[in-house]
Amino acid sequence: MDKNANLWAMAIHLSVFAGYAIPFAGLIAPILIWQLKKEEFPSIDPHGKMVANFLISILIYSFIAGLLCLVFIGFLLLMVLGLVAIVFPIIGAIKASNGELWKYPLMIEFLK
Protein backbone atom coordinates (compact mmCIF):
# COMPACT_ATOMS: atom_id res chain seq x y z
CA MET A 1 0.00 0.00 0.00
CA ASP A 2 1.39 3.42 -0.86
CA LYS A 3 1.81 6.28 1.60
CA ASN A 4 -1.30 8.18 0.40
CA ALA A 5 -3.46 5.08 0.78
CA ASN A 6 -2.08 4.58 4.30
CA LEU A 7 -2.93 8.20 5.11
CA TRP A 8 -6.51 7.84 3.86
CA ALA A 9 -6.94 4.52 5.68
CA MET A 10 -5.74 6.20 8.87
CA ALA A 11 -8.16 9.09 8.24
CA ILE A 12 -11.06 6.65 7.99
CA HIS A 13 -10.27 5.26 11.44
CA LEU A 14 -9.66 8.64 13.07
CA SER A 15 -12.66 10.36 11.49
CA VAL A 16 -14.82 8.46 13.98
CA PHE A 17 -13.77 11.13 16.49
CA ALA A 18 -15.48 13.85 14.43
CA GLY A 19 -18.66 12.87 16.27
CA TYR A 20 -17.26 14.38 19.46
CA ALA A 21 -17.23 17.82 17.81
CA ILE A 22 -20.25 17.63 15.49
CA PRO A 23 -23.24 15.35 16.15
CA PHE A 24 -23.39 12.35 13.78
CA ALA A 25 -20.18 13.38 12.01
CA GLY A 26 -18.47 10.35 13.53
CA LEU A 27 -20.92 8.15 11.67
CA ILE A 28 -20.96 10.06 8.40
CA ALA A 29 -17.31 11.10 7.96
CA PRO A 30 -15.71 7.62 7.90
CA ILE A 31 -18.29 6.28 5.47
CA LEU A 32 -18.01 9.38 3.27
CA ILE A 33 -14.20 9.18 3.12
CA TRP A 34 -14.39 5.46 2.40
CA GLN A 35 -16.91 5.86 -0.42
CA LEU A 36 -15.11 8.80 -2.02
CA LYS A 37 -11.61 7.33 -1.90
CA LYS A 38 -12.09 3.57 -2.39
CA GLU A 39 -11.98 3.88 -6.20
CA GLU A 40 -8.78 5.90 -6.12
CA PHE A 41 -7.17 3.69 -3.45
CA PRO A 42 -8.71 0.18 -3.56
CA SER A 43 -6.54 -0.90 -0.62
CA ILE A 44 -8.59 1.26 1.76
CA ASP A 45 -11.83 -0.60 1.02
CA PRO A 46 -11.26 -3.17 3.80
CA HIS A 47 -10.56 -0.34 6.26
CA GLY A 48 -13.85 1.34 5.37
CA LYS A 49 -15.76 -1.90 5.84
CA MET A 50 -14.00 -2.53 9.14
CA VAL A 51 -14.89 0.91 10.52
CA ALA A 52 -18.49 0.70 9.24
CA ASN A 53 -18.90 -2.70 10.91
CA PHE A 54 -17.39 -1.30 14.12
CA LEU A 55 -19.78 1.67 14.13
CA ILE A 56 -22.82 -0.55 13.59
CA SER A 57 -21.61 -2.94 16.30
CA ILE A 58 -21.03 -0.11 18.79
CA LEU A 59 -24.53 1.24 18.13
CA ILE A 60 -26.06 -2.18 18.77
CA TYR A 61 -23.98 -2.76 21.92
CA SER A 62 -24.85 0.73 23.19
CA PHE A 63 -28.56 0.12 22.69
CA ILE A 64 -28.34 -3.17 24.60
CA ALA A 65 -26.27 -1.58 27.37
CA GLY A 66 -28.81 1.25 27.56
CA LEU A 67 -31.57 -1.28 28.11
CA LEU A 68 -29.46 -3.04 30.73
CA CYS A 69 -29.20 0.22 32.67
CA LEU A 70 -32.62 -0.73 34.02
CA VAL A 71 -30.88 -3.49 36.00
CA PHE A 72 -27.80 -1.32 36.70
CA ILE A 73 -25.27 -3.50 34.86
CA GLY A 74 -25.67 -1.33 31.76
CA PHE A 75 -23.88 1.61 33.36
CA LEU A 76 -20.65 -0.37 33.60
CA LEU A 77 -21.11 -1.66 30.05
CA LEU A 78 -21.62 1.88 28.73
CA MET A 79 -18.38 3.01 30.40
CA VAL A 80 -16.50 0.08 28.85
CA LEU A 81 -18.03 0.83 25.44
CA GLY A 82 -16.99 4.46 25.78
CA LEU A 83 -13.41 3.41 26.42
CA VAL A 84 -13.49 0.91 23.54
CA ALA A 85 -14.88 3.59 21.20
CA ILE A 86 -11.80 5.71 21.93
CA VAL A 87 -9.05 3.08 22.06
CA PHE A 88 -9.98 0.82 19.12
CA PRO A 89 -10.04 3.53 16.40
CA ILE A 90 -6.65 4.77 17.62
CA ILE A 91 -5.18 1.26 17.37
CA GLY A 92 -6.80 0.85 13.93
CA ALA A 93 -5.31 4.15 12.76
CA ILE A 94 -1.82 3.24 13.98
CA LYS A 95 -2.01 -0.12 12.20
CA ALA A 96 -3.37 1.56 9.04
CA SER A 97 -0.51 4.04 9.01
CA ASN A 98 1.83 1.03 8.93
CA GLY A 99 -0.11 -0.51 6.03
CA GLU A 100 -1.82 -3.16 8.17
CA LEU A 101 -5.50 -3.98 8.53
CA TRP A 102 -6.54 -4.47 12.14
CA LYS A 103 -9.75 -6.34 12.85
CA TYR A 104 -11.61 -4.67 15.69
CA PRO A 105 -12.31 -7.17 18.50
CA LEU A 106 -15.98 -7.92 19.28
CA MET A 107 -17.03 -6.46 15.93
CA ILE A 108 -20.03 -7.98 14.19
CA GLU A 109 -19.17 -8.46 10.54
CA PHE A 110 -22.08 -7.04 8.54
CA LEU A 111 -20.08 -5.94 5.49
CA LYS A 112 -17.64 -8.46 4.08
Side-chain angles (χ1 to χ4, degrees), residues 1-104:
M1 203 154 62
D2 70 22
K3 196 159 185 85
N4 285 333
N6 289 351
L7 183 66
W8 283 109
M10 188 174 73
I12 290 172
H13 292 278
L14 292 178
S15 64
V16 171
F17 296 123
Y20 294 121
I22 302 169
F24 301 107
L27 298 172
I28 297 168
I31 294 170
L32 189 62
I33 294 169
W34 168 41
Q35 292 300 314
L36 292 175
K37 291 296 181 177
K38 72 179 182 179
E39 298 298 322
E40 185 178 349
F41 302 106
S43 59
I44 70 167
D45 190 44
H47 291 275
K49 289 177 184 176
M50 198 68 57
V51 171
N53 285 330
F54 174 69
L55 291 172
I56 295 168
S57 298
I58 284 291
L59 286 173
I60 291 170
Y61 294 147
S62 296
F63 178 75
I64 293 168
L67 290 176
L68 288 174
C69 284
L70 297 173
V71 292
F72 299 109
I73 193 170
F75 296 110
L76 177 62
L77 291 173
L78 283 173
M79 286 190 295
V80 170
L81 282 174
L83 183 62
V84 161
I86 293 170
V87 173
F88 284 4
I90 292 171
I91 294 171
I94 292 169
K95 296 285 188 177
S97 71
N98 294 327
E100 302 172 41
L101 177 64
W102 184 65
K103 184 174 181 183
Y104 288 70

